[in-house]
Amino acid sequence: MKTSQEEINDQPYKSETEQNNHSCTQLSQLGDNCDCAFDGAMITLVPITDAAHLVHGPNGCIGNYWGGRDSLSSGSLMYKNCFTSDMDESDIIFGGAKKLYRGILELQRRYKPAAIFVYSTCVSALIGDDINGACREAAEIIGTPVIPVDAPGFVGHRNQGIRLASEALLEYVIGTAEPDTTTLHDINLIGEYNIGGDIWNILPMLEELGIRVLAKITGDARYQEICYAHRAKLNVVNSSAKAMLKMARQMEERFHIPYITESFYGIEHLNRCLRNIAAKLGETELQVRTENLINSETTALNNQLDFYLPSLQGKRILIDITNLNNWAIVSAIQYLEMEVLLTSTNKITQDNQRKIKGLFGDNAKILEIEISQLITEFKPDLLIASNHYQATAMKTKIPFLDINQERKNAYTGYAGIISVAQELYTTLHSPVWEQVRRPAPWE
């Protein structure tokens, strides 16, 4: 179950300057500044809404994640609480395992969560604290599952932490309970974190087709549903969650659950996803229902877009693909027949190069020029980038859109394309731009 050295090496490219400047003391309140294994583990597991998440380390470590992603819940808000063992100098000298043990007992007494996930950090891992033993002893006393997550920041990048969190689920959670009922159309969604409510656009479509999502791993998930994820008939892995593929392979080997890698973003990818799910589940009537759903939803979508298309067609959009969260809306923008210019301030990985070719063909070009220079030269109608470039957009007086983990809109499904169109329309045609571009009264 341990991650191989080859997988550890398969990490996003970082320039030498970035590596030298990296420090886990940088608080990532905006979600993109920290890229360590600890951060990846929390990204993966914190969306389990009815569990408590306890960080065994100095209190500053909780700043690496909390507030970084807006993973929404339809039920419990337990996951919104921050818990830490608050290690200090004496704990570093004498060990903090006993303090962790007492903290787990107190957390259970006060909050009574469905489960407790305990995360190691650089500090607790370096001094050799036995979090596995503390979790095991505490679980025997309180009768609540306590799951150790051994993903200190120094072991690798964010993707490595996602893999380690997945291994913790496989070792301690999945297969520990049985569902009340099962159906022939039970599936798991893997690698969707319900950012902005993305899963809530997916579930109604699948329900209409007669497909039941047995477990969501992990957006808007309950601990219990992940326990019986091993009874699903198919795993559907988000195509952008490459680090979760090992989990799908392990489940195929251990529980004989096949998996497919799909995307719920963009109409072309969405239609293919629904067809592939129906084909894998292997029922002719389900495939017929899927085609009927695709036809009716596409017709309804095109009718709704009639209002937006005249105002959006032909507009030039400059997208900084350094922020990979922008991939969620690139397909939708293409469907709206807008002209897309791509730029990046970092070296593009082979995986991202394949994405670009898949979306734009072999002739796609990435302009590796400063964004301010691109704005001056190409005069785009809209800039989509991280918030670092908001001041640049304001200075050049062009509309700006920041698509990241803090977004409030869901972009999945057919409804997601409408959300993209609405957001682009309101941003491009906001009356503020007419005011901003007017000459100053004294000019």
Side-chain angles (χ1 to χ4, degrees), residues 133-152:
C135 291
R136 184 170 55 251
E137 292 177 12
E140 292 175 358
I141 297 297
I142 63 178
T144 296
V146 183
I147 299 95
V149 183
D150 190 14

Side-chain angles (χ1 to χ4, degrees), residues 177-245:
E178 296 293 335
D180 294 334
T181 60
T182 59
T183 74
L184 296 176
H185 299 151
D186 288 344
I187 69 171
N188 297 324
L189 296 180
I190 298 178
E192 276 289 348
Y193 302 123
N194 202 34
I195 307 299
D198 279 341
I199 281 180
W200 299 336
N201 278 355
I202 301 171
L203 296 180
M205 289 190 303
L206 298 176
E207 185 177 348
E208 186 173 345
L209 292 174
I211 298 171
R212 184 175 73 158
V213 176
L214 189 64
K216 304 177 289 292
I217 306 176
T218 54
D220 194 24
R222 310 301 186 266
Y223 176 79
Q224 189 69 16
E225 69 184 74
I226 299 178
C227 292
Y228 49 67
H230 63 297
R231 293 307 182 193
K233 304 301 185 295
L234 177 68
N235 280 330
V236 181
V237 184
N238 186 348
S239 60
S240 63
K242 182 181 177 183
M244 302 288 279
L245 281 174

Side-chain angles (χ1 to χ4, degrees), residues 3-4 12 66 73-74 77 83 108 111 131 152 163-164 207 209 212 265 285 301 305 358 369 375 383:
T3 305
S4 67
W66 258 280
S73 170
S74 59
L77 296 178
F83 299 104
Q108 173 61 24
Y111 295 92
I131 69 166
R163 294 187 184 103
L164 292 171
E207 185 177 348
L209 292 174
R212 184 175 73 158
Y265 298 96
E285 291 184 8
L301 171 65
L305 289 178
I369 308 173
I375 293 174
L383 170 63

Side-chain angles (χ1 to χ4, degrees), residues 13 89 136 183 223 225 273 283 304 374 384 390 442:
Y13 172 85
E89 290 87 348
R136 184 170 55 251
T183 74
Y223 176 79
E225 69 184 74
C273 173
E283 186 178 284
Q304 289 181 279
L374 282 172
I384 299 179
Q390 186 172 9
W442 56 84

Side-chain angles (χ1 to χ4, degrees), residues 407-425:
R407 61 182 167 89
K408 303 300 180 183
N409 296 322
Y411 295 141
T412 51
Y414 301 99
I417 298 174
I418 298 297
S419 294
V420 171
Q422 290 173 339
E423 195 159 359
L424 292 172
Y425 178 86

